[in-house]
Amino acid sequence: MNISGSSLPVMSGASESGEVYSASLAKKQQQADGAAALALIEGAAQSTSAQTPAKSVTATLGNNINVYV
């Protein structure tokens, strides 16, 4: 695949308007990425708080060993 500047779509108007359009698209993408990251963090925080704590092991577990000789 050959990618060159001549194959890119031409923006109507000055090159400055193309830069503004590109910056606007980049900003929208960054906002979408940020929103997705925040949703992921909030989802992870909710799932850990909703989990039940692990049951603790009693101190007597393994203290009695029956050995027959």
Side-chain angles (χ1 to χ4, degrees):
M1 179 192 307
N2 186 6
I3 299 176
S4 64
S6 62
S7 67
L8 296 176
V10 177
M11 299 291 298
S12 62
S15 65
E16 189 173 308
S17 66
E19 292 174 4
V20 172
Y21 180 71
S22 177
S24 174
L25 287 177
K27 181 179 178 182
K28 288 179 184 178
Q29 182 63 41
Q30 288 174 351
Q31 288 175 339
D33 290 345
L38 287 176
L40 182 64
I41 292 170
E42 289 174 357
Q46 288 176 358
S47 68
T48 57
S49 64
Q51 291 178 350
T52 58
K55 295 180 181 179
S56 62
V57 179
T58 60
T60 59
L61 183 63
N63 288 340
N64 298 329
I65 300 174
N66 297 329
V67 179
Y68 300 103
V69 183

